[in-house]
């Protein structure tokens, strides 16, 4: 028989260890939230995934980058098996950028490595992420949520160009990589 005092001491040690791990994990979550702006997606905005191509915000002519009146940029993508539409978006550097995505079929992922952008794209919901890019460059945009047999080939790109080089066509058309 193990004496009761030994059992109690062992249990106290394990409880202390568990509490320390919880504190460490909470510190990481709060720390990355404050320092790197890594936040869980929090907007609950619904959309009908069966009529995306027919009407509303995610019709094909509205996909890509749009400049807003306040100088910020809004980028809209549709994720579908196995591609993002459009396959490349251009955004200006040093500008607030808002990404809005939704899925036409299953759950996909939206990730821009080395940024605070990482969210799931769920059919029926709009995923919105805000960020800004300090310098020009090309960001790979892999789907990071297993979505089927073609998941590994589901990629797009975000190309960040100098602010003065970014131009929106006059007739309000969305900017895509093909046009610049
Ligand atoms: Cu889409 Cu994985």
């Amino acid at each position: 028989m193990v004496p009761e005092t030994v059992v109690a001491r062992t249990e106290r040690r394990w409880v202390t260890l568990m509490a320390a791990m919880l504190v460490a994990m909470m510190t990481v979550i709060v720390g990355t939230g404050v320092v790197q702006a890594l936040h869980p997606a929090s907007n609950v905005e619904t959309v009908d995934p069966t009529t995306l191509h027919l009407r509303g915000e995610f019709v094909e002519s509205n996909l890509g980058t749009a400049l807003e009146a306040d100088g910020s940029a809004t980028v809209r993508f549709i994720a579908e098996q196995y591609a993002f539409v459009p396959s490349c978006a251009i955004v200006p550097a040093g500008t607030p950028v808002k990404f809005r995505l939704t899925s036409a079929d299953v759950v996909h992922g939206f990730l821009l490595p080395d940024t605070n952008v990482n969210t799931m794209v769920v059919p029926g919901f709009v995923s919105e992420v805000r960020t800004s890019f300090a310098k020009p460059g090309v960001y790979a945009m892999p789907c990071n949520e297993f979505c089927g047999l073609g998941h590994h080939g589901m990629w797009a790109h975000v190309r960040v160009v100098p602010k003065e080089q970014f131009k929106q066509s006059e007739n309000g058309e969305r900017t895509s990589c093909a046009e610049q």
Side-chain angles (χ1 to χ4, degrees), residues 8 17 20 31 35 37 58 74 79 83 85 88-89 101 108 115-116 123 125 128 133 136 144 160 162 173 178-179:
L17 180 64
V35 177
F58 291 94
T74 302
V85 183
C88 176
L101 289 88
H108 299 278
T115 71
N116 65 328
F125 293 88
E128 184 177 301
F133 302 91
N144 64 332
V160 183
E173 271 180 19
E179 291 154 15

Side-chain angles (χ1 to χ4, degrees), residues 79-84 103 105-109 121 142-148 150-155:
E80 58 188 30
Q81 287 170 318
Y82 297 100
F84 291 96
S103 166
D105 38 47
V106 300
V107 176
H108 299 278
V121 184
C143 175
N144 64 332
E145 201 73 43
F146 184 75
C147 53
H151 160 72
H152 62 281
M154 185 167 170
W155 287 81

